[in-house]
Amino acid sequence: MANGKLLRQLIKSGTQGDTAGFRSASEAVIKEEREKNHHLLANDLERLLYGDQATVGHGTRKLHAITNLPANKDNGLALLEERAVVREGKDIILSDITQSALDEILMEHHRADVLRSYGMQPAQKLLFCGPPGCGKTLAAEVIAHSLALPLILVRLDSVISSFLGETAANLRKVFDYVASQPVVALFDEFDALTKDRGDSADHGELKRSVNAVLQMMDGYRGESILIATTNYETLLDKAVWRRFDEAVCFEAPNLEQIKRLLALKLSGIRRNFEPDDGHVASQFKGMSHADIERVLRRAIKEMILSGREFLEKNHIDTALSREYRHKN
């Protein structure tokens, strides 16, 4: 709950008709509640204060202002990049086990005050592993959306440097920034930073980066959620695993999940078949979520450009044939 000073300021400005003072006090209350990780309450207060301005575009939430992103001092390239947060929980299809793990993480953060009252913290350092295109990055966006936090991508192409000690210096800037304000920080392709130090093929700077990451993760005390993703978990240095609060495994969708994904992606498309058609769904077996979405986009484009009113099975067949040709 907001402190007494803020509440007195809020009521005083409201009764005196001081619009600027009321808005300033309200924003301070919202900021205080968000710092306590009371994100649902903070979201509701923002909607009451800002009205329709509390949301932007296609359901994208109004988030904290992201400013002064750190940069690589040698080439000026940004070390972090803000990503739009649009997709939410209904936009992701996962196995029951993976979905349950994601739900538990979100529950911990929605009820962080309860955990802290018992001397415990919600999971903040997460490792998402599994094959490409199976929802790891999307899950990070879903977490950011659910907690109304900005999603920040750590640009490893800027972080990693061939200059002695520069990678560690860049990492320090990244960790200092995400510790300064609550965000969801996504370290995509984390194995590029934390390969096994026993790999003789890597040069010394990358080995030093592993030590730097380990030290910074150990010393991290901010409120941001750090999410590392990897398609090659076997490449990670063994010491890295112990630094994460939770590791969540993602996998290619099974037949039932494929049917649900087809129903989700084709919900607004007129078609002459049902998404739960076993024959149609089975054609996507073994594909990742990203592969399936790409095939569906191709099929829908063909329907539109050919002047057809309904999506047909043959549009799917043609798009699948093209997909297989590209992969072979």
Side-chain angles (χ1 to χ4, degrees), residues 36 38 108 111-122:
K36 295 176 182 176
H38 298 166
E108 288 186 16
R111 304 194 65 194
D113 52 339
V114 176
L115 289 177
R116 290 192 176 103
S117 70
Y118 285 86
M120 304 188 74
Q121 296 288 332

Side-chain angles (χ1 to χ4, degrees), residues 271-327:
R271 56 189 183 275
N272 277 331
F273 61 90
E274 292 302 320
D276 60 359
D277 183 316
H279 173 70
V280 174
S282 63
Q283 292 179 282
F284 293 93
K285 195 170 182 180
M287 286 188 170
S288 70
H289 300 72
D291 291 338
I292 294 171
E293 288 191 40
R294 183 169 55 249
V295 169
L296 293 179
R297 282 197 300 270
R298 283 200 192 112
I300 293 167
K301 285 179 181 179
E302 184 186 348
M303 175 197 74
I304 294 170
L305 296 176
S306 62
R308 302 295 294 272
E309 188 176 355
F310 291 88
L311 186 67
E312 307 283 352
K313 289 183 181 180
N314 67 287
H315 294 132
I316 299 291
D317 294 339
T318 301
L320 279 166
S321 297
R322 183 177 170 187
E323 180 75 10
Y324 289 129
R325 283 199 304 272
H326 284 182
K327 289 188 174 183

Side-chain angles (χ1 to χ4, degrees), residues 126-129 185-190 226-230 244:
L126 313 174
L127 176 63
F128 290 172
C129 54
L186 179 62
F187 293 76
D188 207 8
E189 298 183 0
F190 193 60
L226 312 183
I227 301 178
T229 73
T230 178
F244 290 101

